[in-house]
Amino acid sequence: MEKKLHPSPLLILDLDERIDSKELRAEIDRCYSYIGTPVIRTHAPAEAAGDAEAPVQNVMRLNINNLGTHHYLDASAEGADALWNDILLHWLYNQIHKLDNQMKIYNLRQREEEKPDLMFEWLEINLESGKLIARIKLDSASGVSPEVCTTLDALRQALNAGALGENVVSVSMPSATSLEVQEREGMAAKAAREAAAAEEAARLAAEEQAQADVAEAEADALFLESPQLVEQAAKEQAAEREAQDPILKARVEADLARPENEMTAEEIVAKRIAEEAELHEKMEERYTLPVADYELEFSQWTIHYADGTERDFDSTTSAFVA
């Protein structure tokens, strides 16, 4: 009986040399070791060596090990389709899911400790010992959906159909042209969402203020008619609040007892509520996984050839872009 193949990952983190440090390496080892022992490499700034103004650009590389001489890119090779469809696609899905999750968790921990994020620009997957490199652009949160495996499968199909031409060495997804359009449209959509959210928040605040004004006017009118009734209602409301939140009551009483206190019980309660709301907002920002500004789409690719040339390819039409 033939032994079933079990791929294993080799994870290479290629970092901008300007951010390299022993502390960073130790943290990377701690956070990424459960995926596979990470190998850390460094490179000079992308635009020009020694250019302190060049943006930091880190690359994550995933090598597929433990497959020996087995072929899976060329569909005509014996067992290639079974290896790709039954083993590798599932394995890649799980690995990409782990990497996506870990990159975000790592940065979440960095924020907790008030340290800078470690962002990656690309995930490069080394297929069949370097026969083909799939370069996948990571989103603005340094993440990638494992559903990109559908694109990897489409890449293999296009390669086998001869649609990409000869001597392909790597494929960038999406193409630079597509990425530029997506960034422009994605950021515009984000700005529109934020504007709409701000408008809705302002509308709700105005409604709440209008309701408060009406209630205050009604209370003033009622007070003129029966101050005793207003006083009784206020006492009942205060008693209800205290019964619902004994901790808040104890804090208010403690604040009232302080010699330097100049606030009423109502003012103290309002301050406490505002502080708790602000704390909740800060905790959400600190402990919620980052979300990308917009979702990337991978239908257009740049095909890189052995002679240094490149062409853009539309996978939806299986044709090169003019």
Side-chain angles (χ1 to χ4, degrees), residues 33-305:
S33 58
Y34 90 100
I35 298 176
T37 303
V39 176
I40 299 175
R41 296 175 180 170
T42 61
H43 60 264
E47 293 185 3
D51 183 357
E53 300 301 320
V56 172
Q57 293 186 341
N58 304 313
V59 178
M60 183 172 289
R61 298 187 173 94
L62 176 64
N63 289 2
I64 305 171
N65 290 345
N66 204 34
L67 292 180
T69 58
H70 289 82
H71 300 285
Y72 51 83
L73 285 177
D74 185 353
S76 65
E78 183 179 357
D81 283 345
L83 176 55
W84 176 260
N85 294 319
D86 300 339
I87 297 177
L88 267 177
L89 275 181
H90 299 289
W91 183 86
L92 283 168
Y93 186 97
N94 290 331
Q95 293 300 314
I96 292 173
H97 175 72
K98 289 178 183 179
L99 289 173
D100 171 71
N101 192 55
Q102 195 58 34
M103 283 186 283
K104 293 174 181 176
I105 289 177
Y106 182 98
N107 286 334
L108 181 63
R109 178 179 172 82
Q110 290 292 95
R111 290 202 301 271
E112 290 175 14
E113 298 181 356
E114 298 183 349
K115 297 178 181 178
D117 288 357
L118 178 62
M119 305 295 287
F120 290 89
E121 295 290 320
W122 294 89
L123 170 62
E124 295 186 355
I125 302 178
N126 188 331
L127 297 169
E128 205 170 298
S129 301
K131 186 175 182 179
L132 180 67
I133 305 296
R135 302 181 69 244
I136 302 168
K137 184 70 174 69
L138 301 180
D139 62 30
S140 60
S142 192
V144 57
S145 169
E147 299 301 329
V148 77
C149 286
T150 302
T151 304
L152 294 176
D153 191 39
L155 170 60
R156 180 178 182 267
Q157 292 179 32
L159 190 69
N160 279 282
L164 305 183
E166 300 293 330
N167 300 317
V168 178
V169 293
S170 65
V171 178
S172 298
M173 308 170 171
S175 67
T177 300
S178 174
L179 186 59
E180 182 180 354
V181 173
Q182 290 188 59
E183 181 176 5
R184 182 172 61 251
E185 294 178 350
M187 294 307 293
K190 179 189 177 185
R193 290 195 305 271
E194 291 176 344
E199 184 178 343
E200 177 65 9
R203 185 188 67 80
L204 292 175
E207 284 186 359
E208 291 177 2
Q209 184 60 51
Q211 292 172 359
D213 292 343
V214 170
E216 184 178 357
E218 291 177 348
D220 289 343
L222 184 60
F223 178 78
L224 292 175
E225 296 177 5
S226 178
Q228 294 82 6
L229 185 59
V230 173
E231 183 180 357
Q232 179 61 28
K235 289 180 179 179
E236 291 176 355
Q237 291 176 359
E240 183 179 354
R241 286 197 302 269
E242 291 173 357
Q244 290 175 348
D245 194 347
I247 296 178
L248 179 60
K249 176 185 176 183
R251 288 176 176 173
V252 171
E253 290 177 348
D255 286 344
L256 287 172
R258 291 177 181 173
E260 69 275 13
N261 175 62
E262 297 180 354
M263 295 188 294
T264 65
E266 289 74 14
E267 289 172 336
I268 293 173
V269 171
K271 181 182 178 182
R272 288 281 185 180
I273 291 174
E275 288 174 348
E276 288 180 6
E278 183 180 2
L279 177 61
H280 178 72
E281 184 177 341
K282 288 182 178 179
M283 294 295 282
E284 276 197 335
E285 180 181 353
R286 187 173 181 180
Y287 294 108
T288 301
L289 288 178
V291 178
D293 293 330
Y294 55 91
E295 184 177 351
L296 285 171
E297 191 269 331
F298 298 95
S299 62
Q300 291 202 10
W301 315 331
T302 296
I303 315 300
H304 307 274
Y305 298 94

